[in-house]
């Protein structure tokens, strides 16, 4: 069985790097604290189409290529790997498979067995929700930061939702377990997957 781990904002603080890119492009002063929702177009007031274009432009920059993971993430996934096989489960586009694989290989060597892409917001290829990906890949627990994905996936499987400014409205309950840090993420995963919790 498999634990799925989201990439952006769970393994790597992509938003802070993306803010740097947007600040340079639009002469803004965006900070991660400004993001009460993970909907970029709402925060810096552009169309959804423009925000998507900005994302792809950002993905072609050295800023994107040189992102560093969260300091606690490596120890966290090493602990999760003791519990189950690990897959990266991300909404990233198919066009980013190569750079995503390189990032994972460089920063999390030998940890993840597979990278699964949802290809969301892409104009090319089929798109899959996080729930679709979890069903398809046999994921029995997902570590996630996005409120919408967490709510959808938790209808069928447990989700450890890492607390971020943009998911503050989501409360713990049902199959959603809120974690304030990577060590707490690991502890919640252990509790969820322990034999006693499934009896």
């Amino acid at each position: 069985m498999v634990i799925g781990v989201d990439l952006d904002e769970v393994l790597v603080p992509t938003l802070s790097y993306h803010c740097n890119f947007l600040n340079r492009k639009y002469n803004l002063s965006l900070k991660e604290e400004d993001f009460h929702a993970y909907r970029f177009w709402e925060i810096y007031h552009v169309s959804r189409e423009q925000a998507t274009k900005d994302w792809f432009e950002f993905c072609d920059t050295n800023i994107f290529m040189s992102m560093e993971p969260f300091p606690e993430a490596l120890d966290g996934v090493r602990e999760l790997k003791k519990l189950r096989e690990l897959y990266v489960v991300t909404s990233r586009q198919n066009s980013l498979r190569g750079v995503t694989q390189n990032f994972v290989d460089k920063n999390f060597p030998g940890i993840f067995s597979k990278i699964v892409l949802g290809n969301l917001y892409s104009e090319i290829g089929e798109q899959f929700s996080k729930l679709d990906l979890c069903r398809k890949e046999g994921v029995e627990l997902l570590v996630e930061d996005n409120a919408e994905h967490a709510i959808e996936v938790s209808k069928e499987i447990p989700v450890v939702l890492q607390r971020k400014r943009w998911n503050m409205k989501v409360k713990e309950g049902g199959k959603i377990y809120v974690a304030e840090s990577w060590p707490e993420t690991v502890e919640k995963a252990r509790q969820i997957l322990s034999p006693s919790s499934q009896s």
Side-chain angles (χ1 to χ4, degrees):
M1 299 299 283
V2 174
I3 297 175
V5 182
D6 182 35
L7 181 62
D8 298 300
E9 311 314 328
V10 171
L11 295 177
V12 58
T14 308
L15 179 57
S16 62
Y17 290 95
H18 194 36
C19 285
N20 289 339
F21 165 78
L22 293 172
N23 290 340
R24 292 181 188 182
K25 178 172 182 176
Y26 292 108
N27 194 26
L28 300 172
S29 55
L30 289 171
K31 304 179 297 297
E32 184 176 323
E33 294 75 36
D34 297 323
F35 284 74
H36 53 81
Y38 207 72
R39 296 167 174 262
F40 295 179
W41 57 94
E42 293 179 1
I43 307 303
Y44 67 106
H45 308 294
V46 297
S47 68
R48 186 166 179 163
E49 292 73 22
Q50 184 60 51
T52 301
K53 289 178 182 177
D54 289 339
W55 164 256
F56 283 113
E57 187 178 334
F58 165 59
C59 292
D60 279 334
T61 65
N62 288 331
I63 298 174
F64 182 81
M65 301 292 181
S66 60
M67 292 192 300
E68 296 289 333
F70 285 111
E72 292 182 322
L74 180 57
D75 286 342
V77 294
R78 280 175 172 159
E79 290 301 310
L80 290 182
K81 189 172 171 61
K82 296 176 183 178
L83 303 174
R84 296 290 191 278
E85 188 174 10
L86 299 187
Y87 289 179
V88 170
V89 179
T90 173
S91 296
R92 281 189 179 186
Q93 298 74 35
N94 293 339
S95 60
L96 298 178
R97 178 173 293 282
V99 67
T100 301
Q101 185 73 59
N102 290 341
F103 173 84
V104 171
D105 290 346
K106 174 186 174 184
N107 294 287
F108 302 96
I111 300 291
F112 292 97
S113 304
K114 192 172 187 178
I115 295 174
V116 185
L117 305 174
N119 199 39
L120 293 188
Y121 308 114
S122 177
E123 295 180 353
I124 302 172
E126 192 172 357
Q127 300 182 34
F128 297 94
S129 70
K130 283 285 178 78
L131 181 55
D132 291 333
L133 296 178
C134 289
R135 285 170 174 162
K136 181 181 175 184
E137 300 296 337
V139 172
E140 63 177 314
L141 170 66
L142 179 68
V143 180
E144 178 63 62
D145 73 288
N146 184 289
E148 294 174 7
H149 296 327
I151 291 168
E152 181 189 27
V153 171
S154 70
K155 293 174 182 176
E156 296 188 16
I157 67 169
V159 177
V160 178
L161 181 68
Q162 291 193 339
R163 180 61 82 206
K164 308 286 182 178
R165 181 173 291 272
W166 49 88
N167 64 36
M168 296 297 289
K169 293 181 180 179
V170 181
K171 306 302 182 188
E172 183 164 290
K175 292 185 178 179
I176 293 180
Y177 302 79
V178 174
E180 301 288 344
S181 64
W182 257 108
E184 191 173 348
T185 297
V186 173
E187 185 54 38
K188 297 267 180 157
R190 286 194 184 112
Q191 293 171 8
I192 295 164
L193 297 173
S194 68
S196 60
S197 70
Q198 314 210 358
S199 57

